[in-house]
Each structure stands twice: as C-alpha cells, then as structure tokens.
C-alpha cells in the first residue's frame, strides 16, 4: 500500500512524546473527541430524539455501526488474510473510524432536516448529509485552522460515499419553488447523494493519487430510478472504495436489524405486519439456514423475554456479517481499476443481500413512514426552513460571532455565504434547533438564550 493514502493535507502534525498509535488510531481519536461527534447524541436516528431514552440516536447508531464494521473486517481477515494484509485491513481502527464518522454531517430532525436544507440551498449548491460529513471532517472541525480534523487521505476516501458533485447528479428540471414552507412536498426535494462544488479542492486532494482513468471510472454515474425517492430521480454514483463498502454494509446492518429492534421492543410495529412483510418473504429465499431460522424468528422477536429478542438479533447480525466477502470488481464487464482500494469491494451474496433488503424495507415502510414519525419529521423540517430564512435575512446580526466572520469572509472572497448558514444549522442538535426557534419566534421564548 502506497504511503500516499496515509498522507494528511496539513503535513505538519504534532509529534507527541511516546505516541505509538498508527495513523488510523489517531484519526479515530480525532473523531471521538470532536464536537460534531458528541452532537450525534441528540440527533434523530429513526425514532425521534428525546421521545425516549431507549431509542437509538445517531450516536448510538454510529457506535453500533463501528462495532459491526470491526466484525466485518475480522471476518474478511479470516477469509482473505493475504489480500487483507496487502490492503492494510490488518487492524480495526480504520473501519471503526469511518463508521464512527459516517453520520457526522446529518442535520437535526433526520431526513426532514436534510430535505429542508436542500430546499433552502436549492440555488446555492444544495445540501446532502454525506457531502456535509466530508465537509465537516476535512474543513469545519477545529482540530486545524483550515483542514478540519486533518484526517488521512484513506480515511477521507472511505467517507466519500458518493464521489461526484451534487451539481452533476441533480436532475435537469427542478420542482417549482413553493410560496409557503408548509406546502413543501418532501418527495420532491430529496437531494442527490453527492458532494458540494464548494469543496472541490478537498475532492481533488483526496483523489489526487488516482490515474485519470481510475478517477473517471470512480466518478461515473448512472440514472436508475429509486422507488423510495418519489419524484426525485437524480443521477447516482456507481462506485465506492473498499473501506466505504465495508462501512456501508455495517451501516445497513445497524439500520435494518438494530433499528428494527427499537420498533419491536417499543411496540411501534406489530406481529401480523412482520409475519407478512418479513417472515413470508424470507421463506422464499433460497437459503437453508435462513428458512430454518426465520421459522422461530418472529416468536423470539415478539417475545416478552428480552434475552430471546437479543439472541434473535445477534443471530441475524452474525448471519449477515459472516456472509460478507471481498469481490474483485475487475472481473465484471467494463471495469478495470488499477487502484486496489477501488478494485476490491466488500459484498454480500445475492440471497443474503435480499434478506437484508427485506429488513430495510420493513423498517422504511412500517417505521420511518409511520404517520406519527412523519409528523415529527415535518415539524423539524419547518423549524429548519424558518431558522434558515431568519438567519439569512441578517447574518451579521443573528449568526454567532464565529459563523458571522466566516459568512463575511465568504462574501469578501466572492464564494458561497449561504453555505455558512447551512453549516451552522446542520451542526445543530434537535434540541438546540428547537430552542433557537422558540427564542426567535415564540413570545415565551427565553430572552437569555445563549448562542454558541
């Protein structure tokens, strides 16, 4: 593995006495000690933040994803020891770091906040949670003056989930601008999953080691409609790095299995729907172990005995993790990556991938799309749009001093000052955004509210 992937954008790094950590252990420490990571404790995962102290938050979800990610790398090392050694997958620190950081860019109120910010930024480069993650770790966090956490190039590549600009991915015809925020239809304003043109310098630095052919292929796009995105059929990227593919599988397992546990234990979903939409579909998959396991799965998950629930969840997670393998993409048609980190991806077998998709679909349609949760998301969506409108009306007056300075600097440099407002709002927790909204718009709002 070329040392170029261990490079940091700010080359001068403080050498501390007797520090024996490897580069990825240092990256992990910077993530764990960042303000952005701490704020995940009060950001919505699936169930509303603050609704119960039992529900998973973005923070606990990220911790679980990191644990699953380390489990995946352990499995891959046992299956492909020589290849993993060559690819530097010989420790858990790298994948844990990427998994811990993968949701740092998500705004308050889940996807409602993301849609709201994308609408408010519609003429200023858009907004997307994964793009914001890269921006935070590589520019905004205060570990360094200009380069955020100053992470290694390989960690940043692993966080680049969709390696193309939003401007390139966005469909040609945008929906009509609304006259009233309350009329915004969420399905029309899902952002394309990509990066900001404001961060082109970061993207160029991360991809600098790639040949032109590799970069062109890595950033290639397709236009396949996604049924879950309603009318927002944007172009989509096709490839991810090896590390990113592991993180995405860990994220999907945590979402599809562990978030399902929240919904079952709190009785948000019922047994009949689960039997029909999950068990019956699992029984049709050509997998002997899965057919046998799914016969008793519902009884365990909907049992009053929590140890049976935990055993069932653990069995599913183990089934998925142990099925993951390293795939050589170059064996597919028209793919010829020279860079090993792009050539190889972690993948699930077809039957196992179908099983995971069944769980993910169930969580989406029977939990996320639940009316009570959609109303909370809608409320958060309104709060974010109102805050953006207020702050952009007079930024130097209403933004906190650090953000106001960055806003003025962007104006002076003829850059994109609206991005500074989006940065500020995206960094808020659900609670912080709600309190700020009340302080600005409620007659009973606190007059002593402190702006950070």
């Amino acid at each position: 593995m070329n040392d170029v992937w261990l490079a940091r954008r700010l080359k001068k790094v403080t050498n501390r006495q007797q520090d024996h950590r490897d580069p990825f252990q240092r990256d992990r420490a910077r993530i764990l000690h960042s303000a952005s990571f701490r704020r995940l404790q009060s950001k919505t995962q699936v169930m509303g933040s603050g609704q119960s102290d039992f529900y998973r938050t973005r923070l606990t979800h990220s911790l679980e994803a990191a644990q699953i990610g380390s489990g995946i790398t352990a499995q891959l090392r046992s299956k492909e020891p020589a290849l993993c050694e060559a690819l530097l997958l010989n420790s858990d620190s790298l994948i844990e770091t990427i998994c811990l950081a993968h949701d740092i860019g998500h705004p308050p109120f889940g996807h409602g906040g993301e849609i709201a910010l994308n609408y408010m930024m519609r003429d200023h480069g858009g907004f997307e949670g994964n793009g914001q993650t890269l921006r935070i770790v590589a520019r905004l966090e205060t570990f360094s003056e200009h380069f955020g956490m100053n992470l290694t190039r390989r960690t940043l590549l692993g966080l680049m989930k969709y390696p193309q600009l939003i401007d390139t991915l966005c469909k040609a015809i945008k929906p009509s601008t609304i006259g009233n925020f309350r009329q915004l239809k969420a399905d029309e304003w899902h952002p394309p999953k990509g990066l900001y043109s404001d961060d082109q310098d970061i993207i160029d630095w991360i991809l600098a080691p790639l040949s032109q052919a590799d970069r062109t292929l890595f950033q290639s796009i397709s236009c396949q409609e996604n049924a879950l995105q309603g009318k927002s059929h944007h172009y989509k990227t096709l490839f991810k790095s090896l590390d990113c593919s592991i993180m995405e599988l860990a994220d999907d397992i945590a979402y599809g299995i562990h978030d399902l546990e929240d919904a079952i234990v709190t009785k948000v979903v019922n047994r009949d729907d689960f039997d029909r939409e999950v068990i019956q579909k699992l029984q049709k998959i050509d997998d002997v172990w899965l057919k046998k396991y799914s016969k008793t799965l519902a009884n365990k998950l909907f049992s009053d005995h929590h140890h049976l629930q935990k055993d069932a969840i653990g069995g599913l997670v183990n089934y998925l993790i142990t099925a993951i393998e390293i795939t050589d993409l170059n064996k597919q048609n028209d793919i010829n990556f020279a860079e090993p980190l792009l050539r190889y991806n972690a993948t699930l077998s077809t039957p196992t991938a179908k099983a995971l998709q069944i769980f993910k679909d169930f969580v989406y349609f029977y939990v996320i799309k639940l009316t009570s949760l959609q109303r909370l998301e809608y409320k958060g969506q309104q709060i974010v749009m109102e805050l953006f409108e207020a702050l952009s009306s007079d930024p130097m007056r209403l933004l906190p001093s650090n953000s106001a300075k960055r806003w003025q600097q962007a104006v002076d440099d003829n850059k994109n000052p609206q991005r500074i407002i989006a940065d500020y709002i995206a960094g808020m927790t659900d609670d912080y955004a709600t309190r700020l909204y009340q302080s600005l718009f409620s007659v009973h709002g606190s007059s002593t509210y402190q702006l950070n």
Side-chain angles (χ1 to χ4, degrees):
M1 180 62 60
N2 196 316
D3 284 349
V4 70
W5 293 110
L6 303 180
R8 302 178 190 274
R9 204 166 175 201
L10 178 61
K11 294 179 176 60
K12 184 180 179 181
V13 177
T14 303
N15 291 317
R16 294 186 170 87
Q17 187 176 10
Q18 296 184 342
D19 186 351
H20 302 296
R21 296 173 297 171
D22 66 40
F24 304 129
Q25 289 174 318
R26 301 187 82 172
D27 283 356
R28 182 176 57 188
R30 295 176 191 190
I31 296 292
L32 284 169
H33 294 293
S34 68
S36 299
F37 184 74
R38 291 195 299 277
R39 291 189 188 107
L40 295 178
Q41 67 187 304
S42 188
K43 288 192 178 187
T44 293
Q45 170 59 14
V46 172
M47 318 297 280
S49 173
Q51 298 297 305
S52 167
D53 58 5
F54 176 82
Y55 298 151
R56 287 165 167 85
T57 64
R58 288 278 178 187
L59 179 65
T60 57
H61 162 77
S62 298
L63 293 171
E64 287 179 333
Q67 185 274 324
I68 293 170
S70 66
I72 293 172
T73 55
Q75 281 293 321
L76 295 178
R77 286 197 298 269
S78 71
K79 294 177 179 179
E80 300 274 5
L83 182 57
C84 287
E85 184 73 24
L87 294 169
L88 285 189
L89 281 178
N90 47 8
S91 74
D92 296 337
S93 302
L94 170 64
I95 301 303
E96 285 182 357
T97 299
I98 295 169
C99 290
L100 288 170
H102 82 280
D103 267 355
I104 273 181
H106 279 266
F109 309 112
H111 289 291
E114 183 180 50
I115 288 165
L117 282 175
N118 185 52
Y119 177 74
M120 300 307 290
M121 291 291 290
R122 63 194 180 277
D123 297 323
H124 306 283
F127 180 90
E128 200 272 330
N130 298 284
Q132 190 69 18
T133 291
L134 187 67
R135 181 171 174 82
I136 288 172
V137 300
R139 192 185 302 282
L140 300 181
E141 266 290 347
T142 55
F143 184 89
S144 68
E145 186 176 2
H146 300 295
F147 304 123
M149 299 181 195
N150 195 34
L151 304 178
T152 59
R153 182 183 265 120
R154 179 162 176 178
T155 296
L156 293 176
L157 181 69
L159 286 168
M160 190 181 281
K161 199 170 179 181
Y162 308 103
Q164 187 52 269
L165 298 179
I166 285 177
D167 295 342
T168 302
L169 297 163
C170 193
K171 65 181 182 180
I173 302 175
K174 291 183 180 180
S176 301
T177 302
I178 55 173
N180 186 310
F181 289 156
R182 295 182 181 180
Q183 302 300 314
L184 184 74
K185 290 182 172 58
D187 281 350
E188 295 183 352
W189 288 98
H190 281 281
K193 295 182 181 298
L195 307 170
Y196 307 143
S197 57
D198 296 318
D199 297 326
Q200 185 67 63
D201 59 319
I202 298 171
I203 299 166
D204 289 341
W205 184 82
I206 296 171
L207 302 183
L210 301 180
S211 68
Q212 187 57 55
D214 270 8
R215 176 165 179 168
T216 300
L217 181 59
F218 184 53
Q219 293 190 289
S220 58
I221 62 177
S222 174
C223 188
Q224 296 178 352
E225 295 187 353
N226 183 341
L228 301 186
Q229 286 196 359
K231 300 176 183 178
S232 301
H233 301 313
H234 300 294
Y235 292 96
K236 298 175 184 179
T237 57
L238 295 171
F239 299 104
K240 296 173 174 61
S241 70
L242 169 66
D243 306 326
C244 187
S245 71
I246 297 173
M247 175 268 283
E248 186 169 47
L249 285 171
D251 185 24
D252 285 350
I253 293 170
Y255 165 78
I257 307 300
H258 287 300
D259 290 349
L260 171 66
E261 181 185 11
D262 275 2
I264 291 175
V265 173
T266 55
K267 303 186 185 307
V268 169
V269 297
N270 63 64
R271 171 73 179 267
D272 291 340
D273 289 337
F274 187 80
D275 282 334
R276 184 183 64 256
E277 298 297 333
V278 177
I279 300 300
Q280 291 181 21
K281 292 179 180 178
L282 292 178
Q283 284 290 315
K284 295 178 182 178
I285 295 177
D286 186 16
D287 186 311
V288 175
W289 183 91
L290 188 62
K291 284 184 177 181
K292 181 180 179 180
Y293 195 78
S294 60
K295 287 180 180 179
T296 59
L297 179 60
N299 288 336
K300 289 182 177 180
L301 288 177
F302 288 87
S303 169
D304 290 332
H305 301 289
H306 294 310
H307 69 280
L308 294 179
Q309 294 172 336
K310 285 295 182 185
D311 181 63
I313 292 293
L316 286 172
V317 172
N318 183 71
Y319 162 71
L320 293 166
I321 289 177
T322 55
I324 295 171
E325 297 181 341
I326 295 179
T327 298
D328 185 349
L329 300 183
N330 284 6
K331 292 182 179 180
Q332 302 176 21
N333 292 334
D334 301 323
I335 299 177
N336 187 24
F337 283 117
E339 171 54 56
L341 293 181
L342 305 185
R343 175 178 174 176
Y344 296 101
N345 268 197
T347 59
L348 283 167
S349 64
T350 300
T352 318
K354 287 181 180 177
L356 179 55
Q357 191 62 50
I358 288 170
F359 285 106
K360 288 172 60 181
D361 288 347
F362 185 76
V363 172
Y364 182 82
F365 288 108
Y366 287 86
V367 183
I368 291 177
K369 299 301 286 185
L370 199 68
T371 301
S372 58
L373 293 186
Q374 284 299 306
R375 286 176 175 173
L376 285 173
E377 193 172 280
Y378 175 85
K379 178 182 177 181
Q381 180 180 302
Q382 301 304 308
I383 289 173
V384 168
M385 288 189 289
E386 294 277 6
L387 286 178
F388 195 104
E389 184 178 55
L391 295 171
S392 61
S393 71
D394 196 347
M396 292 303 291
R397 178 187 181 194
L398 298 176
L399 285 175
S401 58
N402 286 340
S403 294
K405 290 176 184 176
R406 292 181 56 236
W407 184 89
Q408 187 60 58
Q409 190 65 51
V411 172
D412 294 343
D413 294 342
N414 197 28
K415 292 187 175 177
N416 184 6
Q418 297 300 89
R419 180 65 65 195
I420 309 305
I421 299 173
D423 289 340
Y424 177 51
I425 296 176
M428 297 178 182
T429 63
D430 297 12
D431 292 341
Y432 184 99
T434 300
R435 294 197 308 272
L436 178 56
Y437 178 89
Q438 291 171 343
S439 75
L440 289 173
F441 301 114
S442 172
V443 293
H444 301 295
S446 173
S447 60
T448 58
Y449 180 69
Q450 299 274 321
L451 281 176
N452 293 334

